[in-house]
Amino acid sequence: MHIPACPTTQTELLPFDQALAEALRPSPDYDAGRWLYVPNTYQEYRYILATRGERPLICVGVNPSTAAPGNLDNTLKSVERVALHNGYDSFIMFNVYPQRATRPQDLEHVLNPALHRENMAAFAYALSRSASPAVWAAWGTVIERRPYLSGCVRDMVEAGRAWGARWYTAGARSKAGHPHHPLYLRKDSGLDAFDAEAYCRTLERCAAARRGG
């Protein structure tokens, strides 16, 4: 269980580029030849947790919990199984918002722009790892937990467009069209094409309806 110790504005943030440089060096805590862990020590936030390979599947959840190299939680174990089943040799676990919180209700209520900016730098790096990046939308209905999360998704979709990203989901989508969360997916689950831009338009209409306009 990870309960945030404080708002991320009160946490010293490592810029993604600096955190990546440190993560690319050998670590006494895990095999850096097999894992990419950014930052490379346990923090109140996590940009990337990945296995190394030539053909990664980028999986996007809502926010990280306690997983770390060699200590995958059940969600990450499912992510790895589905990635390998669908022909990818590795996975990159990314999140819409990088604050660690096991319970979604513990996510901070206000977006930290500095943290989001560094998270988007991490997403650009993840996209750059493939000539034709494959992105698995896997954030579930938890995306409704905080209003700012939908804006983060829109920023990601826009960034993915510049890299020619192909978007997918796995499992049944919710009535509102939200992608299925990886937990409890069959290990032989396939990937279905996902129109991320149309989904963003749906998010915008829902947000307007909640505002009463």
Side-chain angles (χ1 to χ4, degrees):
M1 176 73 69
H2 186 99
I3 299 173
C6 60
T8 59
T9 52
Q10 299 175 19
T11 301
E12 183 178 357
L13 296 179
L14 275 176
F16 174 72
D17 288 347
Q18 179 183 340
L20 175 63
E22 294 178 5
L24 293 175
R25 294 196 287 265
S27 169
D29 300 320
Y30 60 91
D31 180 3
R34 177 168 184 251
W35 297 96
L36 179 63
Y37 184 42
V38 191
N40 66 347
T41 57
Y42 194 93
Q43 304 286 341
E44 286 289 311
Y45 58 95
R46 190 189 75 212
Y47 298 127
I48 285 174
L49 174 58
T51 51
R52 293 185 179 273
E54 297 300 318
R55 190 167 183 261
L57 175 62
I58 304 169
C59 180
V60 184
V62 167
N63 73 297
S65 182
T66 61
N71 185 27
L72 299 184
D73 57 21
N74 288 335
T75 294
L76 269 291
K77 290 175 182 176
S78 181
V79 167
E80 184 169 41
R81 287 193 298 265
V82 171
L84 296 177
H85 172 74
N86 283 277
Y88 299 91
D89 65 358
S90 53
F91 70 86
I92 297 174
M93 190 67 213
F94 183 74
N95 288 279
V96 175
Y97 196 65
Q99 182 188 31
R100 283 191 194 266
T102 301
R103 301 178 306 188
Q105 60 265 36
D106 290 330
L107 274 172
E108 53 196 0
H109 288 267
V110 179
L111 174 91
N112 179 346
L115 183 59
H116 176 56
R117 181 176 62 249
E118 298 304 328
N119 200 46
M120 290 302 299
F123 189 52
Y125 173 81
L127 292 168
S128 76
R129 305 309 297 163
S130 304
S132 182
V135 184
W136 170 14
W139 45 77
T141 58
V142 182
I143 199 72
E144 297 179 354
R145 180 65 65 170
R146 295 288 183 265
Y148 61 79
L149 294 173
S150 59
C152 296
V153 170
R154 287 193 294 271
D155 289 346
M156 290 170 45
V157 171
E158 183 176 347
R161 189 186 309 126
W163 289 89
R166 294 165 292 122
W167 288 82
Y168 300 96
T169 59
R173 299 171 198 166
S174 75
K175 289 183 179 179
H178 301 310
H180 198 291
H181 190 276
L183 198 58
Y184 306 126
L185 281 176
R186 293 168 54 98
K187 65 182 180 181
D188 59 352
S189 294
L191 295 174
D192 302 312
F194 179 53
D195 189 337
E197 299 203 11
Y199 172 76
C200 284
R201 291 192 292 272
T202 298
L203 290 179
E204 289 169 1
R205 287 194 295 271
C206 290
R210 286 194 295 269
R211 292 191 302 266

